[in-house]
Amino acid sequence: MGFFTVQRKPYIHNKEKTRTVTYRLPVKLVEEIETEAMNNNISHNVMAKQILEKYIQWDRFADKIGMIPVPKKILDTLGIEMSSAEINEIVNMIKPVIKDAVLFIKGKYDLKRCIETLEDYMRASGMKSDHRIEGELHHFIIQHGLGMNWSLLTEQLLKEIFHEFLPNQNIKAQTTEATVIVTISLGTDFNEHEY
């Protein structure tokens, strides 16, 4: 058995050409962007780029696929009383919604596009997620902070998504009240951003 170092799987953008564009914006909007950029210790150009990227990757699709923002406290409260049967029912209801969303946003439904869409959703909703590679193993880490029932739901949903595409693959999970780590062997060359 060899030793592998754990590496993070970054969301890599190929070096893209850039071009300078000028927009006429209300002063108040520019001031808000500059203030937010200063609070985040980044340039207002980087802040504007992040805002536009979030719009292109997620926000422009959110209305079209029926997404509505829900305060975290509501989800936290709803999760407290969920039974195992209700978790199963919710997972079964969510799976076709995810498939429709991936088809609409990415134009095709496969494992890579599904993972990438889930990553886009988590980034847009403020959840922390990470993808780490350890040799052939890929660790998908989600930190939601919504309690054990949401962790169990997330674990079950991720396992079912992986089983849909890789039915014979062994999947392991580690779950706490705030975090879910799902581990699966996808090989050393798997990259959900290359398809």
Side-chain angles (χ1 to χ4, degrees):
M1 179 183 225
F3 291 95
F4 298 102
T5 57
V6 177
Q7 300 173 343
R8 293 186 70 220
K9 186 69 175 179
Y11 192 94
I12 298 172
H13 294 284
N14 293 333
K15 186 81 171 169
E16 297 175 320
K17 286 179 156 181
T18 61
R19 138 181 134 175
T20 301
V21 180
T22 303
Y23 293 106
R24 184 171 299 278
L25 300 169
V27 172
K28 183 157 178 54
L29 181 61
V30 173
E31 289 172 349
E32 290 289 334
I33 290 172
E34 289 172 340
T35 300
E36 190 66 21
M38 188 173 59
N39 290 339
N40 287 292
N41 202 27
I42 58 176
S43 72
H44 64 273
N45 188 64
V46 170
M47 176 61 67
K49 180 178 179 268
Q50 288 175 354
I51 292 166
L52 291 171
E53 282 178 340
K54 182 177 178 282
Y55 174 79
I56 292 300
Q57 291 171 355
W58 187 259
D59 292 346
R60 69 181 171 149
F61 301 112
D63 278 346
K64 295 172 184 154
I65 61 173
M67 295 296 293
I68 57 170
V70 177
K72 188 174 181 178
K73 188 64 179 166
I74 291 175
L75 292 176
D76 191 26
T77 303
L78 291 173
I80 292 170
E81 300 297 323
M82 278 194 295
S83 67
S84 296
E86 289 169 325
I87 289 172
N88 290 336
E89 188 176 330
I90 292 169
V91 167
N92 289 331
M93 288 182 342
I94 291 174
K95 284 185 343 190
V97 172
I98 289 173
K99 184 174 185 175
D100 287 341
V102 172
L103 282 167
F104 184 78
I105 294 170
K106 303 294 181 184
K108 189 175 178 185
Y109 184 69
D110 57 33
L111 181 59
K112 290 181 176 185
R113 287 172 177 87
C114 193
I115 292 171
E116 187 177 64
T117 302
L118 290 171
E119 288 174 343
D120 291 345
Y121 166 74
M122 287 180 279
R123 193 176 309 104
S125 64
M127 274 190 258
K128 295 175 186 152
S129 68
D130 202 3
H131 177 181
R132 297 181 189 167
I133 302 170
E134 185 178 8
E136 301 272 322
L137 296 178
H138 290 252
H139 308 283
F140 295 91
I141 304 164
I142 299 172
Q143 193 171 45
H144 55 78
L146 291 170
M148 190 52 117
N149 284 335
W150 284 109
S151 287
L152 295 172
L153 187 148
T154 302
E155 175 187 334
Q156 184 177 334
L157 180 63
L158 290 174
K159 283 180 172 180
E160 291 201 21
I161 287 170
F162 281 116
H163 276 296
E164 179 179 357
F165 296 104
L166 303 166
N168 299 320
Q169 192 68 271
N170 185 28
I171 301 167
K172 294 181 181 177
Q174 298 174 61
T175 305
T176 70
E177 288 195 9
T179 306
V180 176
I181 302 174
V182 173
T183 301
I184 184 169
S185 179
L186 296 172
T188 57
D189 61 344
F190 179 86
N191 183 346
E192 67 270 27
H193 308 297
E194 292 177 359
Y195 44 84

